[in-house]
Each structure stands twice: as C-alpha cells, then as structure tokens.
Amino acid sequence: MDFKIDLSSWHELEATREAYTDCLDGVTLIGEDYYAQRRSLSEELLKNVDRSRGGIYIFQSFDSNLYVGKSSRLFERILQHLRGAGGATSLHVKEMRVVAGFHIDDPYERDIYETFTVKELRPRLNVLKKTRWL
C-alpha cells in the first residue's frame, strides 16, 4: 500500500458541524473557519496521495471492506467520497474509518487491479463488479 489513512479526525470535524446545525434546527450557518479547517485537514490527511496520479483505493469500516474504486486522480476522488459526492458511497461516509490504496498510472492495470481487489475482498458497496463474477 502506498497510503493508509485513519479518518477519525475527518469524522470529528464533521460531527462538530452536524452538532452546530442541529442546535439551529437544521439551519446551517457555517463560516469560513469550518471550510478552512476542512481544507487544511484534507491536505494533511491526503499528504501521501499524489495529486496527479491515479490508482485504486479501498474504504474500510471497523469490521468490513466497504468499497473499492479506481481513479485517474486519486486525491480528488477520495475527497469526493468523503464529502458525500461519491455515488454509491455517499450514504455510507460515516461508516468509513480507513482509506488505503496504491498508485497505478496505467489505466488498464488500474482496471485489472480494481477488478481483482473487488473479487478478493468482496466489498459491500461494489455491486456491479461483484455480480460479474457470479
């Protein structure tokens, strides 16, 4: 693995925002401070993920593998998932505890490694690739 990231600090920041929103009866008044903290935290968490490289990544919960994905730009794709804009994973962000992965520049190799990893790990949220193997 090229990187393995504990997401507990990300969840702490998001819990603070949610608690603040709940206190205001669903009205969200988040200042620049929150967004600055989020940007800073994402930079710190993903410091070992090369912004310009692709690869595959694995989101894990406490007790299972949630999702395996591939991207030509790992840094941005992982952030999309964490921000809840990741498609299949958007409803499961709070379950994510670790993201791990490795850089693979060749798109064909990325696809092969992603397919192999899905087959081996059987992550809960990879419905399409899992059904191809049945």
Side-chain angles (χ1 to χ4, degrees):
M1 292 285 163
D2 289 340
F3 58 90
K4 186 171 184 175
I5 304 162
D6 180 349
L7 298 174
S8 56
S9 54
W10 180 269
H11 291 299
E12 288 171 15
L13 179 64
E14 291 302 304
T16 303
R17 179 190 60 83
E18 287 174 10
Y20 183 71
T21 302
D22 289 344
C23 291
L24 297 172
D25 294 325
V27 176
T28 305
L29 298 171
I30 298 173
E32 281 300 310
D33 186 44
Y34 164 76
Y35 292 108
Q37 286 179 337
R38 190 163 141 168
R39 273 190 299 276
S40 173
L41 182 58
S42 60
E43 292 288 335
E44 177 62 26
L45 286 175
L46 299 176
K47 66 184 173 197
N48 293 327
V49 180
D50 191 321
R51 287 179 175 264
S52 63
R53 293 184 67 195
I56 72 163
Y57 54 94
I58 304 160
F59 280 108
Q60 300 167 323
S61 68
F62 284 118
D63 59 354
S64 67
N65 296 301
L66 291 174
Y67 185 75
V68 173
K70 66 177 178 188
S71 177
S72 59
R73 298 178 62 87
L74 279 176
F75 186 93
E76 285 85 6
R77 187 64 180 129
I78 291 170
L79 275 181
Q80 285 177 340
H81 283 290
L82 292 176
R83 292 176 178 155
T89 61
S90 61
L91 300 175
H92 303 275
V93 173
K94 290 182 181 180
E95 292 178 66
M96 297 173 183
R97 294 294 168 235
V98 172
V99 61
F102 46 95
H103 297 99
I104 304 169
D105 294 319
D106 183 85
Y108 298 109
E109 285 184 40
R110 266 196 306 268
D111 192 46
I112 291 167
Y113 279 106
E114 181 203 27
T115 302
F116 175 79
T117 307
V118 168
K119 181 181 178 207
E120 290 298 309
L121 298 180
R122 296 284 204 196
R124 244 185 325 138
L125 302 176
N126 286 88
V127 178
L128 292 176
K129 287 230 176 197
K130 270 199 285 193
T131 57
R132 290 183 194 168
W133 293 100
L134 296 178

